[in-house]
Amino acid sequence: MGFFSTIFGFFGFGIGISIGLIAGYFLFIYFQPTDVEDPEIKPLVDQDAETLEGMLPEIPNWIKNPDFDRVDWLNKFIELMWPYLDKAICKMAKNIAKPIIEEQIPKYKIDSVEFQTLTLGSLPPTFQGMKIYVTDEKELIMEPSIKWAGNPNITIAVKAFGLKATVQVVDLQVFLLPRISLKPLVPSFPCFANIYVSLMEKPHVDFGLKLVGADLMSIPGVYRIVQELIKNQVANMYLWPKTLEVQILDLAKAMRRPVGILHVKVLHAMKLKKKDLLGASDPYVKLKLTDDKMPSKKTTVKHKNLNPEWNEEFNLVVKDPASQVLQLNVYDWEQVGKHDKMGMNVIPIKEISPDEPKSFTLDLLKTLDPNDVQNEKSRGQIVVEVTYKPLKEEEMGKGFDETQTIPKAPEGTPAGGGVLVVIVHEAQDVEGKYHTNPHVRLIFRGDEKKTKRIKKNRDPRWEDEFQFTVEEPPTNDKLHVEVVSTSSRNLLHQKESLGYININLGDVVSNKRINEKYHLIDSKNGRIQIELQWRTS
């Protein structure tokens, strides 16, 4: 009976399960509950804080803070490059750590410290957002929010007293909010001279530390002590306003600072060619260094003279004696129309011995092309005396802070007076009714200077520098700055004002330096950035 009971029980169980499944299926399909309501769908903006935290446990900064920008493209770039960045960063870390370890281990009587394995794992850091600060100085300031929950494998072998211990760092988490400043911005790649890094808040660092297979961080009390120790040590070194400075370029070369003065004395010219209809010429000489934004120096005009004598002296600022060249151009002055070019030649500064006057008698050429047959024609000669005087080391700036200081006025500046330096940086949103080819007019005490003209540009950048030498401080004076557009194609409206501003100079005399953006009068949205310096001897 026991055998038959088992058989019948088994079949009964199978039949019961089958009948139950079929009944449940029909009940599920054909009978709908009456107490079920449709879910209420709301946009995220209508949700309360508690619901949002449940839906998004880790909200990025670009959602919480409107001044943080989303940088998904940067995260994608790092994700694709991470296998290569991992190797490069680890190699650089080993090279940096090796000399430091070799210097420190004798103090603690340790035989050796070596990296057995060093890899940052397969998970790259993530930028939760980035904040950019805009200033009027030559700098770029960024504040990225960085979170890295990585799976690195860092194994260090330590040998001491004949024993060997292996320490392994795993499961690293780092949350940082650094401020990265690239300054000063310079016209040499990578376009910034230094990197300054500060932490805006104490970092969060969490990791596992294994010794002989046991996780030391699981020991009661150790985790909190290590956390506070790391936070305090890093904060003492890099918490704002303290910074970590990394030099990228030599600042003197990158900013092309003055390294010397070229003293040029234009003596005379000989056997110049006739340019005027009456059989004479009215020559004058223009001097300029290559790669120099300053206007050319000019001699006086010697009317109706083919063998003029000038004996006039000029000082030119040298920034790169290895590459810069002195250009000498002789022109025939015309009262009406374009001045005719009579000839030219150059003197490389590298051919001049420092502090030794040297005379040059130069043949005037049509062009600087040595294969140009037109240079075989005689155009006369010019005689100059040149002396290159390098600046002393203490006269040249070395750091970024020194670029913010004001240099002294050159020799010969009137006592009690000084030099007003005006640097026209850029303009924004300037637009003319008929054309937009802007240049800037500066008028100070009746003296007018102009920047170069930039065609078809509503946001022009000039970076032109001008100097006005005065015998007394311009405390009560104003500088008239006007943005003007000109066009030779529009005969009815060849000249058009795009806006102007009158700047009181009392502040620059008091503060020595001002760098601001000014809203242009008679312009809808136009602004112009002007830097003013007051240099005294």
Side-chain angles (χ1 to χ4, degrees), residues 248-266:
I248 304 299
L249 298 174
D250 184 353
L251 193 58
K253 294 181 179 179
M255 295 205 61
R256 298 180 64 82
R257 289 181 174 176
V259 296
I261 301 296
L262 187 67
H263 181 78
V264 183
K265 186 175 184 180
V266 182

Side-chain angles (χ1 to χ4, degrees), residues 294-310:
M294 297 298 293
S296 300
K297 307 283 187 179
K298 296 181 182 179
T299 66
T300 56
V301 178
K302 300 298 181 181
H303 294 282
K304 299 180 180 180
N305 196 330
L306 299 180
N307 296 284
E309 291 193 10
W310 288 284

Side-chain angles (χ1 to χ4, degrees), residues 475-494:
T475 307
N476 300 317
D477 290 277
K478 292 185 178 181
L479 174 70
H480 179 76
V481 180
E482 183 179 9
V483 182
V484 181
S485 174
T486 57
S487 175
S488 57
R489 296 182 178 181
N490 193 324
L491 299 179
L492 296 178
H493 305 90
Q494 290 187 346

Side-chain angles (χ1 to χ4, degrees), residues 508-522:
V508 69
V509 175
S510 303
N511 300 322
K512 303 301 181 183
R513 177 179 181 269
I514 293 177
N515 185 15
E516 293 185 4
K517 286 185 178 179
Y518 300 90
H519 289 275
L520 293 170
I521 301 173
D522 291 343

Side-chain angles (χ1 to χ4, degrees), residues 422-427 439-444 449 451 462 466 468 478-484 497-505 518-521 527-532:
V422 182
I423 304 175
V424 183
H425 288 294
E426 62 180 352
H439 72 272
V440 178
R441 292 174 63 237
L442 304 174
I443 301 178
F444 173 69
K449 297 182 184 295
T451 67
W462 293 282
F466 304 94
F468 300 90
K478 292 185 178 181
L479 174 70
H480 179 76
V481 180
E482 183 179 9
V483 182
V484 181
S497 177
L498 306 183
Y500 71 94
I501 186 71
N502 292 315
I503 304 175
N504 294 315
L505 299 178
Y518 300 90
H519 289 275
L520 293 170
I521 301 173
R527 293 177 298 166
I528 187 168
Q529 183 180 349
I530 301 290
E531 181 178 346
L532 302 172

Side-chain angles (χ1 to χ4, degrees), residues 12 124 218 262 345 376 459 497:
S218 62
L262 187 67
N345 213 319
E376 298 177 2
D459 302 304
S497 177

